[in-house]
Structure formats: structure tokens, C-alpha cells
Amino acid sequence: MHFQTSTIHAGVDKDSAFNSVITPIYQTSTFRFENIGQTKGFDYTRSGNPTRKALEENIAALEGGISAAAVSTGMAAITLVLHFFKTGDHILCTHDCYGGTERLLRTYREQFGLEISYIDMRDLSSVRKAIRPNTKAFWIETPSNPLLNVVDIRELSQLAHQHGALSIVDNTFLSPFNQRPFELGADIIVHSTTKYLNGHSDVVGGAVVVKNQQHAERLQFLANALGQGASPFDCWLVLRGIKTLVPRMKEHERNARVVAEFLSTHPHVRKVYYPGLESHPQHELAKSQQYGFGGMVSFEVDGGIEEAKYVLRSTKIFALAESLGGVESLIEHPTMMSHASMNPDLREKAGINERVIRLSIGIEDPNDLIEDLDQALTFERRTRVSDRAAKVQVEC
Ligand SMILES: *Cc1c(COP(=O)(O)O)cnc(C)c1O
């Protein structure tokens, strides 16, 4: 099956009772045994559920893996993978990873003795220097959040393997439509299905995908032992969302390009971060390892925190909200919102400053998106608004 056919059909054939075309929601905690020691394949929903299994087979097929675990959130997926390691193991992590990932790694370092180093993985020589005898994994996020830096999954995976370490990729930002890390040598893929895979901002979910039998057994053991499985209804929603992954991703990317080009020429924008622009420092790398550039665009306003706040307050179509990857456009401020939980030193080193605004570009008409941003970037009005506010205060 080709990718687009898999989004619709992989794993989706589970109703032997009535032949429903869509996978039923098996909203049950437990399953009746046929006889002692004999089930129809499921005994208890923490350990396995037909709706969840359909989603797991679907996501595994899209990534080209052999097994997946569908779990309750993206962070649960990351937690699951961290349980592949033990006290004293060393993990090399992308320096500008998702804020929640950094917070969780910090907890594992403090409480369970994992060793963590943050490295700018665009620079392979510094990655090489950071490798220790106990390095067991590279934690790769590309493009990164929110600055959309791109790192070389092929080279990094090779380097990890030379040192007996695993290459783990958080593929949330692109989805398997735009990037398939197994084809580039990665060993484990994690997703927040909350984002593009579900795509409709109505579920939190996560997934881990593996490509060898030993990892598959460990994965299924841990998902059950840790009790992380996603609910049947949430799995059903994500499965439903994935059916339109391909047309959605095409629209996200078309709109993201239009917005990135518009912002690039705007007098009140200092810098635009979008790997699809030729001016992006890793544009060529992105072209060579990705099937598309995705729908995330970040930019720096010309000015400071006040101008950034003005823009964040002024959009009418872009909703001021965390998260990304849904059909509706969102705007957010990494230092005050998505990356507020990140260690401030690390955040600064990663180049995430107060001027940075992150956009998740939805699939609305791009003309409306541009118009909305244009009016929000008209700072002149800010003075007028605060003038008026000052006057009101005086009158009071
Ligand atoms: C959102 C996100 C996560 C965490 O996922 P949740 O579903 O919010 O728990 C992890 N990694 C990346 C890149 C994300 O964007």
C-alpha cells in the first residue's frame, strides 16, 4: 500500500461481528474468556484493546515500523522510552528540545540518575566530543521547537550506532507524511499524536514506534507495566484524524509557505524561521531528509516584549493557545508559554528570546491568515490603545 492508502486502511479492519467499515470503539475495561486460559485475543484494556490495536497498527505502518504503543499523551510516550534505560546511562539530547522533554529529563536525572547532556546537534563534532562510554541514546528532535533548526538524522544515527547507542527521533513536528526517521537510520520514533496525527485539537495522545522485535517486546511489556495505554475513544479519534493526514499536511504546508513569505517581507518582522525558505540555514538538509517542510513557522518581531505581546493580543483568527498541528491556526509565545518550563539558561543558549512568536498554521484560507497577521503587526495602534487607556485612568 502507498502511504496515503495506509493512512485510511492500515489496521482498520476489526469488526468481525457486523463488518462495520470504521473500527468500532471497544469501550470496555475487560473481555469475557471463551474458556479458562482462552480469550479472543484480549483480556483487559490496560494490556490491550482492539480499538487501540487498530491505531497502533496504523501508526506503525505509516512510520514503517513493526510495532507501536498508543499511549495517553506525548509525554507518556517519552516516559515510556526513558524506561528503556537505567541509572548511570547517558543520553545526548538536542539542545532545543520540547520544554516538557527537558523538564522530564531533568526529573529522571535528579531522581533516577540518568545522565543527560544537551548538545547543538547541528554541529557533529561537538556531538562526537560529548559521547561517553555509557552513552546509550541520542534524543533527536528535528525540526526543533520553536526555532525549527534541522539536524541530520542520517549522520546522527550512524554516529550513535558506531558507539552502540540508539537513535531516537521525536517526529511530532512533521508527522510521517513529511519525515520517516526509520528510513534515515533511527531506531525508535516518538509522537505526540495530539498534534498533526490527530490534527483536530480534540485529543491528547502519544505513540512510540519501533522497528525490531526485541524493542517491540520491551515496548509492549512497558506500556502494560507502566499502565500508559490510551483510552479506546481517544484512539478512535486519532485513527479518524489520521484518515485526512495527507490532505491536511498539504494544506498546512501551502499556508505555511504563504505566511513565511509574507512575514519575510514585513517591516515589523526581524527574522523568520521556516525550513522551506531558501534563506533557512539548513534548507538543503531539510530538502534531503524530509518529504515536506510542515506547517510550523516562527518569527521575531522587530522590537521587544511589548511588541510581541501586542501581536499576541491582536490576532483574531490565530487563537492565543499552546499546542500545534490542528486545522485551526494558533499563535503563542515560547518564553511565556510552551517553553516556560524549560531551564532559562538552556532556553537562552538555544536562542529562544522574548521576541520569538510561534505560529501553528492551520488550513484556513491563507488570505485571511495574512490579513490577520498584518493587522496584528501594525504596532502604531499600540500607542493609540495605551493613550486611550491612560486617558481612561485619568478620567477615573
Ligand atoms: C507537544 C509535544 C510533546 C508532548 O506531547 P503531549 O501530547 O502534549 O504530552 C512532545 N514533543 C513535541 C515535539 C511536542 O510538540
Side-chain angles (χ1 to χ4, degrees), residues 51-52 55 70 203 230-240:
T51 314
R52 190 189 302 140
L55 174 63
V203 174
S231 81
F233 182 59
D234 285 355
C235 291
W236 183 83
L237 279 172
V238 177
L239 202 52
R240 181 185 205 258

Side-chain angles (χ1 to χ4, degrees), residues 7-315:
T7 59
I8 293 159
H9 292 290
V12 182
D13 181 25
K14 289 285 180 287
D15 177 27
S16 50
F18 302 109
N19 295 349
S20 70
V21 168
I22 295 300
T23 307
I25 308 169
Y26 288 92
Q27 191 70 29
T28 182
S29 59
T30 190
F31 298 83
R32 191 159 43 79
F33 279 56
E34 301 266 278
N35 204 334
I36 295 166
Q38 190 191 338
T39 66
K40 284 188 122 179
F42 297 93
D43 53 25
Y44 186 56
T45 281
R46 170 159 45 73
S47 318
N49 176 285
T51 314
R52 190 189 302 140
K53 192 162 174 37
L55 174 63
E56 290 173 341
E57 286 177 15
N58 183 280
I59 295 177
L62 299 186
E63 285 290 10
I66 64 160
S67 180
V71 295
S72 57
T73 63
M75 290 317 301
I78 294 169
T79 302
L80 182 49
V81 174
L82 290 182
H83 280 258
F84 276 58
F85 305 99
K86 60 180 194 308
T87 303
D89 285 352
H90 177 232
I91 297 177
L92 278 183
C93 182
T94 305
H95 75 305
D96 51 354
C97 66
Y98 178 68
T101 303
E102 192 273 334
R103 179 174 54 189
L104 184 65
L105 287 171
R106 197 185 329 141
T107 306
Y108 273 74
R109 192 189 63 219
E110 288 165 2
Q111 279 187 248
F112 305 114
L114 277 186
E115 295 175 22
I116 317 285
S117 305
Y118 294 94
I119 305 294
D120 183 346
M121 291 190 167
R122 289 172 296 183
D123 176 12
L124 280 177
S125 69
S126 64
V127 176
R128 250 183 228 107
K129 272 190 227 135
I131 294 171
R132 303 175 190 166
N134 56 339
T135 302
K136 291 289 156 53
F138 287 15
W139 194 279
I140 300 165
E141 224 183 280
T142 178
S144 68
N145 180 9
L147 296 183
L148 300 148
N149 292 317
V150 177
V151 299
D152 194 327
I153 298 176
R154 233 185 240 109
E155 297 261 16
L156 287 164
S157 298
Q158 257 176 25
L159 191 58
H161 295 156
Q162 281 164 18
H163 294 84
L166 296 175
S167 158
I168 303 166
V169 176
D170 184 333
N171 203 26
T172 299
F173 257 44
L174 286 175
S175 90
F177 176 62
N178 279 335
Q179 178 166 273
R180 280 164 234 152
F182 287 153
E183 294 174 1
L184 305 165
D187 302 292
I188 297 177
I189 296 170
V190 304
H191 275 287
S192 167
T193 56
T194 311
K195 316 294 168 54
Y196 288 107
L197 283 172
N198 180 58
H200 293 76
S201 311
D202 49 14
V203 174
V204 288
V208 181
V209 194
V210 296
K211 66 177 191 190
N212 81 39
Q213 196 52 42
Q214 191 199 343
H215 289 158
E217 281 163 25
R218 188 79 188 139
L219 181 68
Q220 297 306 337
F221 168 82
L222 285 170
N224 179 44
L226 293 167
Q228 291 189 310
S231 81
F233 182 59
D234 285 355
C235 291
W236 183 83
L237 279 172
V238 177
L239 202 52
R240 181 185 205 258
I242 290 175
K243 289 177 204 297
T244 55
L245 179 68
V246 173
R248 278 190 288 111
M249 292 312 292
K250 287 180 178 169
E251 294 284 296
H252 282 299
E253 177 160 345
R254 181 199 61 173
N255 284 0
R257 175 173 298 284
V258 170
V259 168
E261 281 169 4
F262 163 76
L263 291 173
S264 302
T265 60
H266 200 287
H268 288 170
V269 172
R270 184 187 285 214
K271 200 166 173 186
V272 179
Y273 300 90
Y274 184 62
L277 293 177
E278 277 180 28
S279 56
H280 187 281
Q282 293 98 39
H283 175 67
E284 288 305 318
L285 172 60
K287 259 198 335 204
S288 77
Q289 77 179 3
Q290 301 173 191
Y291 293 107
F293 300 110
M296 296 301 295
V297 177
S298 294
F299 67 99
E300 286 184 32
V301 291
D302 194 24
I305 184 72
E306 286 311 315
E307 281 73 14
K309 279 184 179 168
Y310 179 79
V311 174
L312 293 160
R313 276 195 297 255
S314 304
T315 55

